[in-house]
Amino acid sequence: MKYSFKNDYSEMAHPRILDAFSAVQAKQFEGYGLDEHSAEATALIRKKVNALSADVHFIAGGTHANLVVISSILRPHEAVIAAESGHIFVHEAGSIEATGHKICTRVGINGKLSAGDIESVILEHSDEHMVKPRLVYLSLSTECGTVYTKAELSAVSKYCRDNNLYLYIDGARLGNAINSPACDLSYSDVSELADAFFIGGTKNGALFGEAIVICNDAMKKDFRFHLKQRGALLSKGAAIAVQFSAFFKDGLYNELASLANQKARKLADGIMASGFEFLFPVETNMIIPILPTEVAERMHKLYGFYDWKVFCDKTAVRLLTSWATREDKIDKFLADLNSV
Amino acid sequence: MKYSFKNDYSEMAHPRILDAFSAVQAKQFEGYGLDEHSAEATALIRKKVNALSADVHFIAGGTHANLVVISSILRPHEAVIAAESGHIFVHEAGSIEATGHKICTRVGINGKLSAGDIESVILEHSDEHMVKPRLVYLSLSTECGTVYTKAELSAVSKYCRDNNLYLYIDGARLGNAINSPACDLSYSDVSELADAFFIGGTKNGALFGEAIVICNDAMKKDFRFHLKQRGALLSKGAAIAVQFSAFFKDGLYNELASLANQKARKLADGIMASGFEFLFPVETNMIIPILPTEVAERMHKLYGFYDWKVFCDKTAVRLLTSWATREDKIDKFLADLNSV
Amino acid sequence: MKYSFKNDYSEMAHPRILDAFSAVQAKQFEGYGLDEHSAEATALIRKKVNALSADVHFIAGGTHANLVVISSILRPHEAVIAAESGHIFVHEAGSIEATGHKICTRVGINGKLSAGDIESVILEHSDEHMVKPRLVYLSLSTECGTVYTKAELSAVSKYCRDNNLYLYIDGARLGNAINSPACDLSYSDVSELADAFFIGGTKNGALFGEAIVICNDAMKKDFRFHLKQRGALLSKGAAIAVQFSAFFKDGLYNELASLANQKARKLADGIMASGFEFLFPVETNMIIPILPTEVAERMHKLYGFYDWKVFCDKTAVRLLTSWATREDKIDKFLADLNSV
Amino acid sequence: MKYSFKNDYSEMAHPRILDAFSAVQAKQFEGYGLDEHSAEATALIRKKVNALSADVHFIAGGTHANLVVISSILRPHEAVIAAESGHIFVHEAGSIEATGHKICTRVGINGKLSAGDIESVILEHSDEHMVKPRLVYLSLSTECGTVYTKAELSAVSKYCRDNNLYLYIDGARLGNAINSPACDLSYSDVSELADAFFIGGTKNGALFGEAIVICNDAMKKDFRFHLKQRGALLSKGAAIAVQFSAFFKDGLYNELASLANQKARKLADGIMASGFEFLFPVETNMIIPILPTEVAERMHKLYGFYDWKVFCDKTAVRLLTSWATREDKIDKFLADLNSV
């Protein structure tokens, strides 16, 4: 197999995550997330995001988290607002529509939805012949590898609160965003500005699992029913919780996310030094340089990565790094890029 | 925490399962089950169930497996036939109905649905004012801890094939069934008689995960779309696959299931020796003795377990064992039972 | 075609209903129920049911009314409680499940659900592994042709209010119930005791159409969105409204329902006089006598009607009358019954 | 009430439609569309569209027809392709998504979807992370009042058949299209090119009702189950059928559609003569002239009509005519338009 920059989940799990399973081997625990490991991880997350009364639920994957949260709170006629590049709109196989809800989109800039975008959707939905937009979905970091600034997210949040809209954040790569030099948001800011969000584990070194954080009391009621009904309430929920305890008891989560960002930065710097431009600002562990198509094709023979978009004789390619990305492979990639 | 006989997923995972993760730490793998670990586990399972052209998909949990399989194949007006004690009817929070399908039930005997039960459902559904039953769901072993014999399952399967019904088996505890002295079914028999089934990992020592096996070609098409749409296509699907490879490359799966059964047998024998009767035949790792309610209450103070049913001054209680159940705790339980 | 006692919708419409269309031919009206005819019919219905702030919506059919009302108010994990003979459970092709909701049933007596039946459902639903029953559905008159007394309905209503359950009444034959000598309920009682109900037009002489009445403010919000989303917001909603104005401006609704009941009474009296018994009390325009199967078969050759149930050598048959049922056909039916 | 050009369903029904109900008053008929009136109307429609083996089903409204047809044939992961102006995408309150299916859109030209538009959707849906487009929805005439030519519709149909896509046509205004001078399609062409379509009654003088025509055998099976499940199988289906018999036994349907088109033409000619342009070609009974906003506002005080779009100091307004539109009102409208 060629060395892969396809994604940030190409390796099994960080060693300290695997150790976390072994450490609790001897003990029995309660099923379905009612165990002490889940309680411990919940306490650590509440503290980290500075939301002591938030509800925390552990779930196996991100698409699943999105559909459970969104379908749990919307009435049948209510819809979601998202960027056209939003993961739920493009890459979740119609999962939200399968729960009965339409997604209203706006193009957005650099994968981001602005308060103005949201307002324009609201303004065009006037009566009962149309759906009623009720929840704003955004990703942090985005599908373009970019981040919202505190000012941007605050404006979105304010618009939502002023207009009776829920704000839900897909944080599959939340660590990469918070640890981005381009992002002035803290975990506390996220919990203050959003009604609910999830903290991604799978893409930051966990074996599997995400942590849903619900801040808005109105969204908390009966949430475990929804988890169960959608097949998301794992009997060994504790197995996700112990990973999040490992993440948040001593800084591992930020450490791994920073590492991933730094590796992307190094890769991006090298690519820039070779004279190539980027489709979006380089802000996290996902970078999208624009290569001559012939260069992209040559590199495809040597490395695994996805094409993002082809235009004229150029191809924008998507490169992802993780905590596990090997430095020598980055060096080699850059060398190969220049070795025409 | 009191020692628990509540279920067979009270411990994290068997050590050889955890070893399986560490063993593949160094290597990158493809996402979403398109990796070599998934291919290897698939090959092992196909061989084990003697169905070389079966499709195998790995998924995090059993409720999720049930709803994805069932909703993938039914048209909107088609319904499921199940026993009244069926897990999907009682304990999955309306997950099947949430995908749009009604479940038609029959009481069944010892948790089992007979061909006659199924026929009686079919006979009463005559026209388009009613749903159209199309898929039979049964559990092996059942929610009562019992097993189908080969003759029973063959009769059900024959009725289904003669009447254009799919047969789907919830095998959350398939290992316990196959390894039960009361059961003359082999894995091959199951793959021959059913259109699809899943092999449970979570309840037999896995950290998490089940393996869906689809034998009927008509059910195979586009199945990965359904997994994705319901949030079940894990990016690190490989993490489930390596566990199933560990299960099936050298007999671990049967070994753990047998161990669980033996421990239940020992517990049941002791309870019988104390003069108590059972609500259902003792056949697998779930046993349901009938205790005087005052005895049940006394034991509740010492051990964790669920009440199954209360009638007059008796309480039928549900006790489960696993590979990890401690022998000394079984001895102590029996001693405590007799120490009035 | 043999003369039919199959149902109460075998004739097109009462002449005064057809006149109502002609009377408004010259005028333009607003679409989608926002017209003056709808306003007039709404005012008449509000007055009739003594609920001046109730919302009234006109819809083409009863199954549609049931699914729109029920799906509009339930969250995904919430379920319906109904009698096993309930129309939504048996004869609506899984329409409620198709909107995602499970129906929990009790056998009931004479087609009626008691407060005790409802309580027994509530008591067995304890946690998030099960659905959460939230709405009680009952029919007035029932699928067995019977009626609730005021004491019975009050007990059901009280239990619902004490336990945070919505009470919704399928009134496809509400007129037959209210005008039954066995029923001491008034329209006002119904609007006081239920959260929502519908008044059936189709089965009482309308060309088509039912009037949904929503009394509980919590169920009113955004209801027109739900009508639209389910395909129930007719552009010519006015065409239903003018029929309901004709029904309620001068007593036509009660007149036709009484006529139907009287004809059933005459038919039943004749059948009783011939020495036959009935499966359920004779209370409305649906009667279910028990005939020797050979008699039933002979009568089938002469008249249209449905068999309800066959047991031993008897067949319970369902006979329905309407305002349009011909007296001479009743006389002939009774004569034929006796002419063995 | 101001005279209204808002829509083509502002009057109750054509007199010959009302006569059709009276004509069958004396006779009993079978319920749920199994009657002789439905058989007669079916035969007339089959002949008219030259599809003798087509299935015909009568339904109360167009939104309902769309959702029943589309949800009946798609599997959960399959999606619809439509123009951005498509009625199902904009003005049916998320009805298709409520049945679980995503709609993939293209802008289209003059409200029409081209084969190229459809291909571009297909090309961008490559794997199981996305939905699988499977059915093309288009309106004839469109939401812009335009029609497809035979060449255009044939190209769309060919692309669909070559690519395993269903083609479904919303014919709420099919009569206006077929009778448009701009349209060289016959009813036979429509039944040959589409897999299913509906013939609109409500907007062409019926009291209520549409006729669904299913040409593709694969879409026929169990369709009555779907009608029933979605609340669309009316017990008095005969009441719709008699209207369609009136439409098609002697040319009334085409007559009324032509009348509506002619009135729109007259209105459009007058508006053009006053020097105004149109947003889309004038082809049927819906015309969308572009007026100075101040003129539009003045006319709003005198007539009922909708604004379609506001840009700079212009407002495109939507005017609809029907068989019942009064000539004197058209003359007055044109006079008022010029009387600045």
Side-chain angles (χ1 to χ4, degrees):
Chain A
M1 194 171 131
K2 294 175 284 186
Y3 195 77
S4 172
F5 293 96
K6 277 188 182 173
N7 52 50
D8 37 12
Y9 43 79
S10 295
E11 285 89 6
M12 203 49 87
H14 190 271
R16 278 154 71 187
I17 293 292
L18 295 187
D19 290 347
F21 299 125
S22 311
V24 298
Q25 268 295 74
K27 289 199 305 184
Q28 287 190 318
F29 54 83
E30 287 288 325
Y32 299 104
L34 301 175
D35 59 284
E36 58 194 274
H37 305 307
S38 297
E40 185 195 1
T42 294
L44 286 165
I45 288 173
R46 282 176 174 161
K47 197 175 158 201
K48 187 74 196 171
V49 305
N50 194 28
L52 300 187
S53 64
D55 278 2
V56 178
H57 303 275
F58 300 100
I59 188 168
T63 295
H64 214 181
N66 289 338
L67 81 87
V68 176
V69 171
I70 290 173
S71 69
S72 77
I73 193 61
L74 296 185
R75 293 180 66 197
H77 64 303
E78 293 177 340
V80 179
I81 301 174
E84 263 189 13
S85 57
H87 206 257
I88 56 167
F89 188 66
V90 181
H91 277 111
E92 301 192 353
S95 64
I96 301 304
E97 291 88 353
T99 66
H101 303 285
K102 182 171 177 165
I103 304 172
C104 305
T105 58
R106 283 298 177 270
V107 175
I109 297 179
N110 292 342
K112 293 186 275 184
L113 211 55
S114 69
D117 288 331
I118 300 167
E119 182 176 39
S120 81
V121 174
I122 295 301
L123 291 179
E124 96 183 7
H125 286 79
S126 49
D127 67 20
E128 66 266 16
H129 294 261
M130 299 179 170
V131 293
K132 184 171 186 173
R134 191 68 206 287
L135 179 145
V136 171
Y137 164 95
L138 57 83
S139 311
L140 187 63
S141 55
T142 72
E143 295 304 309
C144 303
T146 56
V147 297
Y148 285 77
T149 63
K150 187 165 177 177
E152 288 169 340
L153 193 64
S154 297
V156 166
S157 178
K158 182 176 180 347
Y159 184 84
C160 289
R161 286 180 185 166
D162 289 350
N163 290 277
N164 197 26
L165 301 169
Y166 295 109
L167 175 58
Y168 167 65
I169 297 177
D170 177 334
R173 295 190 178 97
L174 186 62
N176 303 111
I178 298 294
N179 289 281
S180 162
C183 183
D184 54 350
L185 287 161
S186 66
Y187 292 104
S188 301
D189 292 332
V190 172
S191 77
E192 264 177 48
L193 297 173
D195 294 294
F197 61 101
F198 80 82
I199 304 173
T202 307
K203 292 173 175 166
N204 198 33
L207 185 68
F208 73 112
E210 328 286 318
I212 296 170
V213 182
I214 304 183
C215 308
N216 181 335
D217 287 344
M219 297 178 73
K220 291 176 180 173
K221 187 164 182 248
D222 290 348
F223 192 76
R224 284 172 59 84
F225 283 87
H226 299 276
L227 284 169
K228 180 69 195 176
Q229 188 180 65
R230 305 297 183 181
L233 192 65
L234 293 187
S235 53
K236 290 189 184 169
I240 306 177
V242 295
Q243 300 176 71
F244 275 87
S245 287
F247 273 148
F248 286 110
K249 75 181 165 207
D250 59 4
L252 180 64
Y253 191 75
N254 280 339
E255 190 183 310
L256 298 186
S258 282
L259 258 175
N261 287 356
Q262 287 159 26
K263 289 175 183 181
R265 187 71 249 173
K266 176 175 173 177
L267 192 58
D269 287 344
I271 293 168
M272 281 177 197
S274 301
F276 300 113
E277 299 202 327
F278 285 74
L279 197 60
F280 303 113
V282 170
E283 298 181 346
T284 63
N285 66 323
M286 180 197 289
I287 62 174
I288 305 182
I290 303 167
L291 304 180
T293 295
E294 58 177 7
V295 174
E297 282 170 3
R298 183 164 52 77
M299 295 302 282
H300 268 304
K301 290 181 189 139
L302 305 171
Y303 300 94
F305 58 87
Y306 291 110
D307 289 347
W308 176 278
K309 194 176 196 169
V310 179
F311 40 106
C312 306
D313 58 346
K314 310 269 188 185
T315 300
V317 303
R318 193 186 86 151
L319 303 174
L320 270 149
T321 55
S322 80
W323 63 275
T325 303
R326 286 169 49 185
E327 298 275 344
D328 61 328
K329 295 295 184 181
I330 294 175
D331 295 335
K332 190 68 170 51
F333 184 97
L334 294 173
D336 288 332
L337 187 65
N338 290 320
S339 71
V340 193
Chain B
M1 194 171 132
K2 294 174 285 185
Y3 195 77
S4 171
F5 293 96
K6 278 187 181 172
N7 52 52
D8 36 12
Y9 42 80
S10 296
E11 285 88 7
M12 203 49 88
H14 190 272
R16 279 156 70 187
I17 292 293
L18 294 187
D19 290 347
F21 299 125
S22 311
V24 297
Q25 268 294 75
K27 289 201 303 186
Q28 286 191 320
F29 54 84
E30 287 288 324
Y32 300 104
L34 301 175
D35 59 286
E36 58 193 276
H37 305 308
S38 297
E40 184 195 3
T42 294
L44 286 166
I45 288 172
R46 282 175 174 162
K47 197 174 158 202
K48 187 75 196 170
V49 305
N50 194 30
L52 299 188
S53 63
D55 278 3
V56 178
H57 303 275
F58 300 100
I59 188 169
T63 295
H64 214 180
N66 290 337
L67 80 87
V68 176
V69 171
I70 291 173
S71 68
S72 76
I73 192 60
L74 295 185
R75 292 181 65 198
H77 63 303
E78 293 177 339
V80 180
I81 301 175
E84 263 190 13
S85 57
H87 206 257
I88 56 167
F89 188 66
V90 182
H91 277 109
E92 301 191 352
S95 63
I96 301 305
E97 291 87 353
T99 67
H101 304 284
K102 181 171 176 166
I103 304 172
C104 305
T105 59
R106 282 299 177 268
V107 174
I109 296 179
N110 292 342
K112 293 186 275 185
L113 211 53
S114 69
D117 289 332
I118 299 166
E119 182 176 39
S120 82
V121 173
I122 295 301
L123 291 179
E124 94 182 11
H125 285 81
S126 48
D127 66 21
E128 67 265 17
H129 294 261
M130 299 179 171
V131 293
K132 185 172 186 172
R134 190 71 206 287
L135 180 146
V136 171
Y137 163 96
L138 56 83
S139 313
L140 187 63
S141 58
T142 72
E143 295 303 310
C144 302
T146 57
V147 297
Y148 285 76
T149 63
K150 187 164 176 177
E152 289 169 339
L153 193 64
S154 297
V156 165
S157 178
K158 182 175 178 353
Y159 184 84
C160 289
R161 285 179 186 170
D162 290 349
N163 290 277
N164 196 27
L165 301 169
Y166 295 109
L167 175 57
Y168 167 64
I169 297 177
D170 177 333
R173 294 189 179 98
L174 186 63
N176 303 110
I178 298 295
N179 288 282
S180 161
C183 183
D184 54 351
L185 287 161
S186 66
Y187 292 104
S188 301
D189 293 332
V190 172
S191 77
E192 265 177 48
L193 297 172
D195 294 293
F197 61 100
F198 80 81
I199 304 173
T202 307
K203 292 174 175 166
N204 198 32
L207 185 67
F208 73 112
E210 329 286 317
I212 296 170
V213 182
I214 303 183
C215 308
N216 182 335
D217 287 344
M219 296 178 72
K220 291 176 181 173
K221 189 167 180 244
D222 289 348
F223 192 76
R224 284 172 58 84
F225 284 86
H226 298 276
L227 283 169
K228 181 69 195 178
Q229 188 181 65
R230 304 298 183 182
L233 193 65
L234 293 186
S235 54
K236 290 189 184 169
I240 306 179
V242 296
Q243 300 176 71
F244 274 87
S245 286
F247 273 148
F248 286 110
K249 77 180 165 207
D250 60 3
L252 180 63
Y253 191 75
N254 281 338
E255 189 183 309
L256 298 186
S258 282
L259 258 175
N261 287 356
Q262 287 160 26
K263 289 176 183 179
R265 187 72 248 175
K266 177 176 175 178
L267 191 58
D269 287 344
I271 293 168
M272 280 176 196
S274 301
F276 300 114
E277 300 201 326
F278 285 74
L279 196 59
F280 303 113
V282 170
E283 298 180 346
T284 62
N285 66 324
M286 180 197 290
I287 63 174
I288 305 182
I290 303 166
L291 304 179
T293 295
E294 58 176 9
V295 174
E297 283 170 0
R298 183 163 52 75
M299 296 302 282
H300 268 304
K301 291 183 187 136
L302 303 171
Y303 301 94
F305 59 87
Y306 290 109
D307 287 348
W308 176 278
K309 193 176 197 168
V310 179
F311 39 108
C312 304
D313 58 345
K314 309 272 190 186
T315 300
V317 303
R318 192 185 87 152
L319 303 174
L320 270 150
T321 55
S322 80
W323 63 275
T325 304
R326 287 169 50 185
E327 298 274 344
D328 61 326
K329 295 296 184 181
I330 295 176
D331 295 336
K332 190 68 168 53
F333 184 97
L334 295 173
D336 287 332
L337 187 65
N338 290 318
S339 70
V340 192
Chain C
M1 196 171 130
K2 294 173 286 184
Y3 195 77
S4 172
F5 293 96
K6 277 188 181 173
N7 52 51
D8 36 12
Y9 42 81
S10 295
E11 286 89 6
M12 203 51 87
H14 190 271
R16 278 156 69 189
I17 292 293
L18 293 187
D19 291 346
F21 299 125
S22 312
V24 297
Q25 267 295 76
K27 289 199 305 185
Q28 286 192 319
F29 53 84
E30 288 287 325
Y32 299 103
L34 301 175
D35 59 284
E36 58 194 275
H37 306 307
S38 296
E40 183 194 3
T42 294
L44 286 165
I45 288 173
R46 281 176 175 161
K47 196 173 159 204
K48 187 73 195 173
V49 305
N50 194 29
L52 300 187
S53 63
D55 278 1
V56 178
H57 304 274
F58 300 100
I59 187 168
T63 295
H64 214 180
N66 289 338
L67 82 86
V68 176
V69 171
I70 291 173
S71 69
S72 77
I73 192 60
L74 296 185
R75 293 180 65 198
H77 64 302
E78 293 178 339
V80 179
I81 300 175
E84 262 188 15
S85 57
H87 206 259
I88 56 167
F89 188 66
V90 182
H91 278 109
E92 301 191 353
S95 63
I96 302 304
E97 290 87 353
T99 66
H101 303 284
K102 182 171 178 166
I103 304 172
C104 305
T105 59
R106 282 299 177 268
V107 175
I109 295 180
N110 292 341
K112 293 186 274 184
L113 212 53
S114 69
D117 289 331
I118 300 166
E119 182 176 40
S120 81
V121 173
I122 295 301
L123 291 180
E124 97 184 7
H125 286 80
S126 49
D127 66 21
E128 66 265 17
H129 293 261
M130 300 179 170
V131 294
K132 185 172 186 173
R134 190 70 206 287
L135 179 146
V136 171
Y137 164 96
L138 56 84
S139 312
L140 188 62
S141 56
T142 72
E143 295 304 308
C144 303
T146 56
V147 297
Y148 285 76
T149 63
K150 186 164 177 176
E152 288 169 341
L153 193 64
S154 297
V156 165
S157 178
K158 181 176 179 351
Y159 184 83
C160 288
R161 287 180 184 169
D162 289 349
N163 290 278
N164 196 28
L165 300 170
Y166 295 108
L167 175 57
Y168 167 65
I169 296 177
D170 177 332
R173 295 189 178 98
L174 187 62
N176 303 110
I178 298 295
N179 289 280
S180 162
C183 183
D184 54 350
L185 286 161
S186 65
Y187 292 105
S188 301
D189 292 333
V190 172
S191 78
E192 264 177 50
L193 297 173
D195 294 294
F197 61 101
F198 80 82
I199 304 174
T202 307
K203 292 173 175 166
N204 198 34
L207 186 68
F208 74 111
E210 328 287 318
I212 296 170
V213 182
I214 304 184
C215 309
N216 182 335
D217 287 343
M219 295 178 72
K220 292 176 181 172
K221 185 162 183 250
D222 288 348
F223 192 76
R224 283 172 59 86
F225 284 86
H226 299 276
L227 284 169
K228 180 69 195 176
Q229 189 180 64
R230 305 297 182 181
L233 193 65
L234 293 186
S235 53
K236 291 189 184 168
I240 306 177
V242 295
Q243 300 176 72
F244 274 88
S245 287
F247 272 148
F248 287 110
K249 75 180 167 212
D250 60 5
L252 180 63
Y253 191 75
N254 280 338
E255 189 183 311
L256 299 185
S258 281
L259 258 175
N261 286 355
Q262 287 159 26
K263 289 174 182 182
R265 187 71 248 174
K266 177 176 175 178
L267 191 58
D269 287 345
I271 293 169
M272 279 176 198
S274 301
F276 299 114
E277 301 202 325
F278 286 73
L279 197 59
F280 303 114
V282 171
E283 298 181 344
T284 63
N285 66 324
M286 180 196 290
I287 62 175
I288 306 182
I290 303 167
L291 304 179
T293 295
E294 58 176 9
V295 174
E297 282 170 2
R298 184 164 52 76
M299 295 301 283
H300 268 303
K301 290 181 189 142
L302 304 170
Y303 300 94
F305 58 87
Y306 290 109
D307 288 347
W308 176 277
K309 192 176 197 169
V310 178
F311 40 107
C312 304
D313 58 346
K314 309 271 190 185
T315 300
V317 305
R318 194 186 86 151
L319 303 173
L320 270 150
T321 55
S322 79
W323 63 275
T325 303
R326 287 169 50 186
E327 297 274 346
D328 61 328
K329 295 296 184 181
I330 294 175
D331 295 336
K332 190 68 168 54
F333 184 97
L334 294 173
D336 287 332
L337 188 65
N338 290 318
S339 71
V340 193
Chain D
M1 193 171 132
K2 294 174 284 187
Y3 195 77
S4 172
F5 293 96
K6 278 187 181 173
N7 52 52
D8 37 12
Y9 43 80
S10 295
E11 286 89 6
M12 203 49 87
H14 190 271
R16 279 156 70 189
I17 292 293
L18 294 187
D19 290 347
F21 298 125
S22 311
V24 297
Q25 268 295 74
K27 289 199 304 184
Q28 286 191 319
F29 54 83
E30 287 289 324
Y32 299 104
L34 301 175
D35 59 285
E36 57 193 276
H37 305 307
S38 297
E40 184 195 2
T42 294
L44 286 165
I45 288 172
R46 282 175 175 162
K47 198 175 158 202
K48 187 75 195 170
V49 305
N50 194 30
L52 300 186
S53 64
D55 278 2
V56 178
H57 303 274
F58 300 100
I59 188 169
T63 295
H64 214 180
N66 289 338
L67 81 87
V68 176
V69 171
I70 291 173
S71 69
S72 77
I73 192 60
L74 296 185
R75 292 180 67 199
H77 63 303
E78 294 177 340
V80 179
I81 300 175
E84 262 189 14
S85 57
H87 206 258
I88 56 168
F89 188 67
V90 182
H91 277 110
E92 301 192 353
S95 64
I96 301 305
E97 291 87 352
T99 66
H101 303 285
K102 180 170 177 166
I103 304 171
C104 305
T105 59
R106 281 299 177 267
V107 174
I109 296 180
N110 291 344
K112 293 186 275 184
L113 211 53
S114 69
D117 288 332
I118 299 166
E119 182 176 39
S120 82
V121 173
I122 295 301
L123 292 179
E124 95 182 8
H125 285 80
S126 49
D127 67 19
E128 67 265 16
H129 294 261
M130 299 178 169
V131 293
K132 185 172 185 171
R134 190 70 207 288
L135 180 146
V136 171
Y137 164 97
L138 56 84
S139 313
L140 187 63
S141 58
T142 71
E143 295 303 310
C144 302
T146 56
V147 297
Y148 285 76
T149 63
K150 188 165 176 176
E152 288 169 339
L153 193 64
S154 296
V156 165
S157 178
K158 182 176 179 348
Y159 184 84
C160 289
R161 286 180 186 168
D162 290 348
N163 290 278
N164 197 27
L165 301 170
Y166 296 108
L167 175 57
Y168 167 65
I169 296 178
D170 176 334
R173 295 189 177 99
L174 186 63
N176 303 109
I178 298 294
N179 289 281
S180 163
C183 183
D184 54 352
L185 286 161
S186 67
Y187 292 104
S188 301
D189 292 333
V190 171
S191 78
E192 264 177 49
L193 297 173
D195 294 293
F197 61 101
F198 79 82
I199 304 173
T202 306
K203 293 173 174 165
N204 198 33
L207 186 67
F208 73 111
E210 329 287 317
I212 296 170
V213 182
I214 304 184
C215 308
N216 182 335
D217 287 344
M219 296 178 72
K220 291 174 180 173
K221 186 162 183 250
D222 289 349
F223 191 77
R224 283 172 59 84
F225 283 87
H226 298 277
L227 284 168
K228 180 70 194 175
Q229 188 180 64
R230 305 297 182 182
L233 193 66
L234 293 187
S235 53
K236 290 188 183 169
I240 305 178
V242 296
Q243 300 176 71
F244 274 86
S245 287
F247 273 148
F248 287 109
K249 75 181 166 208
D250 59 4
L252 180 64
Y253 191 75
N254 280 339
E255 190 184 310
L256 299 185
S258 282
L259 258 175
N261 286 356
Q262 287 160 26
K263 290 176 181 178
R265 187 70 250 175
K266 177 175 175 176
L267 191 58
D269 287 344
I271 293 169
M272 279 177 198
S274 301
F276 300 113
E277 302 201 325
F278 286 74
L279 196 59
F280 304 112
V282 170
E283 299 181 344
T284 62
N285 66 322
M286 180 196 291
I287 62 174
I288 306 182
I290 303 167
L291 305 179
T293 295
E294 59 177 8
V295 175
E297 281 170 1
R298 184 164 52 76
M299 296 301 282
H300 268 303
K301 290 182 189 135
L302 304 170
Y303 300 95
F305 58 86
Y306 291 109
D307 289 346
W308 176 279
K309 194 176 195 171
V310 180
F311 39 107
C312 304
D313 59 345
K314 309 271 189 185
T315 300
V317 305
R318 193 186 85 151
L319 303 174
L320 270 150
T321 55
S322 80
W323 63 276
T325 303
R326 288 169 50 184
E327 298 275 345
D328 62 327
K329 295 296 185 182
I330 294 175
D331 295 335
K332 190 68 169 53
F333 184 97
L334 294 172
D336 287 332
L337 187 65
N338 290 318
S339 70
V340 193

